[in-house]
């Protein structure tokens, strides 16, 4: 019999999913099999209600007043593309940080080739960007500021509430990449002055892969990423302006959103403060244990209040990807190694050549899992 | 009372429910000339004002009001 997996790759996707998520998806497939918002029969209407339930739960989680301002996407990457390409025009200026994922960096570079100018603000060596540095980078034509709430490489958390106030005072739009924090850290879009919030469904929100979304502040009208059928205002040859229809053409992922809704409800029931307290206890245990090994360098803020459930490390004289392979094959420990789709962040941390070994904890992680990792390192590094 | 999108119908209907008013979700045929999604809530004349007030509080403009007659739905 195969050894049970010690899953420490929650920053890539959370696993295992709560049983309620799986059950909700099965129920949606069995009982809500119609195409939502298209036909008028009961199965179709049921499906549309399942999706609306998900919007309402997310609105509660992110303190969004109007659930219709949440547009569903396939993942956080699509949400970021919708926000970035829906806002920026040639001649606009955008400010971003040196800790951004390729989901931000690549769309911005594509737009730079079409006349959008970019300013990258350098984060500190721990991966945290100073709000004052963001403010200094703002220009009269700055249209958008993009900041990752927390790094996917080392978990460093940015002070988005302070940055949001500075951006709003300047009159630019503030886009937050919550890929690593949705469901893990408190987010309140209105009090944090967030105009656009991109989030995945399949990480801290416990939903299935293929789900995500973008919160769009009331009054903002973005260019849609795609055009097509919405089930509304079908006589028009142009996309309707009403949200969320404008951004959701095509048949949605009803089973996925049913699962996401169940996941969000689990977060709301357990409470982010409770989930976060438990995660911090375990991540401190892991950080302190790994720090004791000679040759191990930990990358990121030592204070776990400034980090998510990620521990990023390098080991002198050892290749990260080789270590990840041994952890997988010999110890059944699932983790990630390499650049994690964030070369800018690695350049900031000084790990662009080596990459890092990334151990990311989540709601299913136990103290025994952490102890098993430390035991594996004792064997690996003896 | 019909709306431009089904999401709007759900939004209004959920608020009405929170207010203690349950209204059926109903399909309004496009033959009425309705420009919206073809869905709305079935409301009595006494309830129209409440429905409109909830919608407008959310910044939602109803797509139209219709009445079901022996000859089918007709715009009011």
């Amino acid at each position: 019999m195969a050894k049970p997996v010690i899953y420490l790759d929650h920053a890539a996707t959370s696993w295992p999913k709560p049983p309620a998520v799986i059950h909700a998806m099965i129920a949606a497939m069995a009982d809500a099999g119609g195409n939502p918002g298209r036909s008028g029969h009961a199965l179709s209407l049921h499906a549309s209600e399942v999706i609306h339930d998900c919007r309402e739960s997310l609105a509660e989680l992110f303190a969004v007043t109007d659930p219709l301002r949440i547009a569903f996407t396939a993942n956080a990457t699509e949400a970021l593309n919708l926000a970035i390409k829906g806002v920026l025009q040639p001649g606009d200026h955008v400010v971003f940080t040196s800790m951004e994922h390729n989901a931000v960096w690549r769309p911005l570079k594509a737009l730079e080739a079409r006349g959008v100018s970019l300013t990258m603000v350098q984060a500190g060596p721990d991966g945290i960007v100073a709000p004052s540095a963001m403010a200094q980078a703002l220009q009269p034509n700055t249209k958008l500021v993009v900041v990752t709430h927390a790094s996917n490489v080392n978990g460093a958390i940015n002070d988005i509430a302070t940055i949001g106030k500075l951006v709003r005072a300047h009159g630019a739009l503030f886009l937050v990449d919550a890929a690593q924090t949705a469901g893990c850290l408190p987010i309140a879009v209105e009090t944090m002055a967030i105009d656009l919030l991109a989030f995945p469904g399949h990480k801290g929100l416990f939903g299935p892969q293929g789900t995500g979304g973008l919160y769009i502040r009331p009054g903002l009208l973005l260019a849609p990423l795609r055009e097509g059928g919405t089930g509304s205002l079908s006589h028009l040859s142009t996309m309707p302006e009403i949200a969320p229809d404008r951004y959701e053409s095509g048949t949605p992922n009803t089973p996925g959103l049913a699962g996401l809704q169940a996941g969000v409800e689990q977060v709301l029931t357990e409470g982010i403060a409770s989930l976060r307290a438990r995660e911090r206890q375990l991540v401190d245990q892991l950080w302190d244990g790994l720090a004791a090994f000679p040759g191990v360098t930990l990358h990121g803020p030592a204070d776990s209040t400034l980090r998510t459930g990620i521990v990023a490390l390098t080991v002198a004289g050892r290749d990260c990807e080789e270590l990840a392979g041994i952890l997988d094959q010999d110890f059944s420990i699932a983790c990630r190694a390499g650049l994690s789709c964030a070369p800018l962040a690695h350049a900031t941390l000084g790990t662009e050549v080596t990459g890092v070994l990334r151990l990311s904890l989540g709601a299913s992680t136990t103290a025994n899992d952490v102890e098993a990792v430390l035991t594996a390192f004792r064997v690996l590094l003896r | 009372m019909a709306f431009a999108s089904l999401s709007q119908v759900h939004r209004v209907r959920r608020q009405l429910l929170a207010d203690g008013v349950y209204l059926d979700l109903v399909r309004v045929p496009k033959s009425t000339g309705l420009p919206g999604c073809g869905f709305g809530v079935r409301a009595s004349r006494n309830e129209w004002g409440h429905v409109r007030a909830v919608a407008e509080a959310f910044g939602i403009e109803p797509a139209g009001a219709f009445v079901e007659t022996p000859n089918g739905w007709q715009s009011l």
Side-chain angles (χ1 to χ4, degrees):
Chain A
M1 192 170 137
K3 276 196 255 179
V5 173
I6 296 171
Y7 187 78
L8 295 177
D9 200 14
H10 290 270
T13 196
S14 58
W15 187 85
K17 303 302 180 187
V21 170
I22 297 164
H23 295 153
M25 294 180 72
I26 292 169
M29 296 282 278
D31 305 328
N35 194 329
R38 270 59 175 181
S39 310
H41 53 75
L43 284 173
S44 170
L45 293 177
H46 186 180
S48 70
E49 290 196 282
V50 164
I51 291 175
H52 189 75
D53 286 342
C54 188
R55 248 187 265 282
E56 295 242 1
S57 295
L58 286 162
E60 182 181 348
L61 181 68
F62 297 136
V64 169
T65 303
D66 182 356
L68 303 188
R69 302 307 302 183
I70 296 170
F72 290 120
T73 59
N75 43 52
T77 294
E78 185 178 83
L80 288 162
N81 270 266
L82 170 58
I84 290 168
K85 294 172 181 169
V87 164
L88 293 171
Q89 298 288 327
D92 289 336
H93 173 246
V94 59
V95 177
F96 63 103
T97 82
S98 68
M99 292 302 286
E100 301 305 317
H101 189 276
N102 273 346
V104 169
W105 173 235
R106 286 177 171 170
L108 289 179
K109 290 301 285 182
L111 289 181
E112 185 180 38
R114 295 177 220 159
V116 172
S117 58
L118 317 180
T119 297
M120 184 174 81
V121 175
Q122 190 68 33
D126 57 0
I128 296 175
V129 67
S132 58
M134 297 299 292
Q136 285 166 12
L138 296 168
Q139 298 178 10
N141 66 334
T142 302
K143 181 84 165 284
L144 182 69
V145 174
V146 191
V147 176
T148 183
H149 192 178
S151 164
N152 71 305
V153 172
N154 72 347
I157 298 169
N158 282 311
D159 181 358
I160 54 169
T162 300
I163 296 171
K165 290 187 181 93
L166 293 168
V167 173
R168 184 153 292 178
H170 184 78
L173 297 174
F174 186 37
L175 165 60
V176 172
D177 175 0
Q180 295 298 323
T181 57
C184 304
L185 296 178
I187 298 174
V189 293
E190 285 157 20
T191 56
M192 290 175 162
I194 297 170
D195 298 297
L196 298 152
L197 179 77
F199 62 90
H202 66 100
K203 296 184 181 180
L205 298 177
F206 306 135
Q209 294 173 21
T211 59
L214 179 70
Y215 160 75
I216 304 165
R217 177 172 60 73
L220 286 180
L221 187 69
L222 310 185
L225 266 189
R226 61 180 188 268
E227 289 79 24
T230 59
S232 56
L233 302 172
S234 298
H235 62 292
L236 297 177
S237 63
T238 55
M239 290 298 288
E241 293 194 356
I242 51 176
D245 302 36
R246 181 174 179 79
Y247 312 109
E248 291 184 349
S249 58
T251 299
N253 177 5
T254 307
L257 296 175
L260 175 57
Q261 198 262 341
V264 174
E265 282 301 312
Q266 176 129 347
V267 172
L268 289 167
T269 300
E270 291 195 30
I272 285 183
S274 168
L275 289 165
R276 173 76 172 140
R278 189 175 165 284
E279 180 183 81
R280 275 195 54 214
Q281 191 174 15
L282 293 172
V283 86
D284 281 342
Q285 180 191 347
L286 181 59
W287 181 279
D288 294 343
L290 290 170
F293 288 104
V296 168
T297 301
L298 298 168
H299 301 273
D303 179 354
S304 65
T305 63
L306 302 175
R307 245 186 308 116
T308 61
I310 290 175
V311 175
L313 65 132
T314 47
V315 180
R318 301 294 293 264
D319 180 82
C320 289
E321 299 202 22
E322 184 199 349
L323 285 174
I326 296 170
L327 287 171
D328 177 34
Q329 288 169 27
D330 295 355
F331 300 94
S332 290
I333 295 171
C335 62
R336 183 164 180 180
L339 296 181
S340 302
C341 300
L344 294 178
H346 282 281
T348 304
L349 302 174
T351 53
E352 66 271 38
V353 175
T354 59
V356 297
L357 185 69
R358 186 184 73 179
L359 303 163
S360 51
L361 284 56
S364 63
T365 308
T366 66
N368 285 343
D369 292 340
V370 172
E371 192 48 49
V373 172
L374 298 176
T375 299
F377 269 79
R378 283 183 204 108
V379 175
L380 279 172
L381 304 184
R382 68 185 167 202
Chain B
M1 190 165 286
F3 294 93
S5 81
L6 189 51
S7 297
Q8 292 181 344
V9 180
H10 288 315
R11 175 96 165 103
V12 170
R13 202 160 162 259
R14 294 292 167 87
Q15 183 58 50
L16 289 165
L17 195 58
D19 295 344
V21 179
Y22 176 85
L23 297 182
D24 282 335
L25 192 153
V26 64
R27 186 152 206 252
V28 184
K30 300 280 178 60
S31 59
T32 56
L34 173 69
C37 63
F39 293 96
V41 293
R42 186 191 298 275
S44 69
R45 284 179 189 273
N46 290 340
E47 291 162 333
W48 283 359
H50 189 184
V51 175
R52 182 173 285 279
V54 166
E56 289 178 352
F58 291 155
I60 295 171
E61 178 66 28
F66 300 84
V67 64
E68 196 169 15
T69 74
N71 297 323
W73 290 93
Q74 295 193 355
S75 179
L76 281 180

